[in-house]
Amino acid sequence: MRQPQLDYYEMGPEVVAFSSTRQGGCSKGNYASFNINRYCRDDEETIRQNREALCQLLDVSDNRLVMPHQVHLTEIAVVDEDFLQRSDDERQTTLEGVDALMTNVEGVCIGVSTADCIPVLLFDKRQRAVCAIHAGWRGTVQRIVEKAVSKMTAVYGTRPADLVAQIGPGIHLDSFEVGDEVYQAFEKAGFDMNSISRKKEKWHIDLPECNRQQLLSAGIPGENIAVSPICTFQQYDTYFSARRLGINSGRIFTGILMTSKK
């Protein structure tokens, strides 16, 4: 078992924020070699071992590593002390059909899984709360990022100006070719198509830019937003890409963990 190789993000001294790569772990084939997603048909024992390795690296127990079962909608779940006391079955019910998680509990790693979709992390440095968001094209059209910022405001009293945001690895403009129906969905949703799309033989959509614009619209200062340069489609040897490897393949885990206040 090799230690998972993570890409870390600088979001502040009180948080650990990262995306996993394909390196480390013990998964095989198109899941090789680090995958902790239970919903993509990887071997359960392999997933357990990979989760254990990640928990050791982060210094958290397994029940404090929380990942939802995503369905490309906009449901957002709050991970609080009550959630952490629930049984595994109760927790799983809460996490079913959820595409974003938020918490203000220290020592809990929340995260989302992607393999071309866009992961977004948020950290409220004033109220000390974090959020992990899965933004595929459907979630992006439905403005899940804006909804997550609004929910953080409602739950924690977050001020958008206090948020630090990281857009993680995902498919980029040159590689994200879409049909007319996807282009029309973004157009109907009110996006500035001149800034997020390009016509080659087919339309291409810039998903990272779509989500960056949502963060700005939500009130997060531009200087507080970082965007990963990684295109998963182009760098599928290092990061999982469902368009390259098929849906029966591994997933990137993008997580965030608040540590004790310095």
Side-chain angles (χ1 to χ4, degrees):
M1 166 70 74
R2 292 180 296 137
Q3 186 179 76
Q5 300 299 301
L6 309 179
D7 287 340
Y8 290 98
Y9 305 118
E10 291 293 335
M11 297 183 70
E14 300 166 16
V15 290
V16 177
F18 64 90
S19 292
S20 64
T21 68
R22 297 186 64 179
Q23 280 64 54
C26 56
S27 293
K28 306 295 183 183
N30 281 353
Y31 303 98
S33 54
F34 183 78
N35 170 62
I36 62 169
N37 185 296
R38 290 193 169 106
Y39 307 106
C40 56
R41 302 185 180 180
D42 195 4
D43 176 70
E44 273 292 333
E45 174 57 21
T46 300
I47 292 168
R48 187 197 66 76
Q49 292 181 39
N50 288 342
R51 280 182 64 97
E52 182 179 15
L54 179 59
C55 288
Q56 289 178 355
L57 184 60
L58 298 175
D59 194 25
V60 298
S61 59
D62 185 77
N63 72 339
R64 296 174 82 85
L65 176 62
V66 186
M67 176 175 60
H69 185 195
Q70 302 156 190
V71 292
H72 295 274
L73 295 176
T74 60
E75 188 68 26
I76 304 165
V78 177
V79 176
D80 53 17
E81 292 291 358
D82 175 69
F83 171 89
L84 295 170
Q85 297 304 316
R86 297 175 192 173
S87 68
D88 288 345
D89 287 344
E90 290 171 330
R91 286 164 57 125
Q92 198 53 52
T93 297
T94 301
L95 295 172
E96 184 65 34
V98 168
D99 282 85
L101 299 174
M102 57 182 61
T103 190
N104 64 351
V105 183
E106 292 179 357
V108 172
C109 181
I110 57 172
V112 292
S113 295
T114 58
D116 290 331
C117 293
I118 308 300
V120 182
L121 300 176
L122 304 175
F123 171 47
D124 180 342
K125 55 193 176 184
R126 183 173 65 93
Q127 298 288 9
R128 288 186 51 77
V130 294
C131 183
I133 307 161
H134 163 246
W137 77 261
R138 291 177 179 85
T140 299
V141 164
Q142 296 175 79
R143 299 184 183 274
I144 187 172
V145 163
E146 291 181 18
K147 291 175 180 177
V149 173
S150 294
K151 185 152 186 173
M152 289 187 76
T153 297
V155 175
Y156 305 123
T158 291
R159 298 185 306 195
D162 292 324
L163 285 171
V164 177
Q166 174 69 54
I167 296 173
I171 195 166
H172 284 208
L173 175 66
D174 287 343
S175 301
F176 190 43
E177 182 180 275
V178 302
D180 289 346
E181 73 284 357
V182 176
Y183 177 92
Q184 290 163 7
F186 278 89
E187 186 176 43
K188 185 177 180 181
F191 285 88
D192 177 5
M193 301 311 293
N194 289 329
S195 66
I196 67 157
S197 66
R198 181 187 305 160
K199 187 68 179 285
K200 295 185 178 179
E201 292 183 5
K202 291 187 177 182
W203 285 107
H204 286 236
I205 298 288
D206 190 337
L207 280 183
E209 176 60 17
C210 290
N211 285 284
R212 191 187 73 86
Q213 289 183 12
Q214 285 188 53
L215 293 168
L216 291 170
S217 296
I220 301 175
E223 61 269 24
N224 289 5
I225 303 169
V227 182
S228 169
I230 301 298
C231 174
T232 48
F233 185 84
Q234 296 293 337
Q235 296 177 247
Y236 69 97
D237 55 337
T238 306
Y239 305 87
F240 291 111
S241 168
R243 285 201 170 198
R244 287 280 199 177
L245 302 167
I247 59 172
N248 293 328
S249 59
R251 301 291 187 269
I252 300 162
F253 181 71
T254 296
I256 188 164
L257 165 76
M258 274 196 310
T259 58
S260 297
K261 191 170 184 179
K262 302 294 185 183

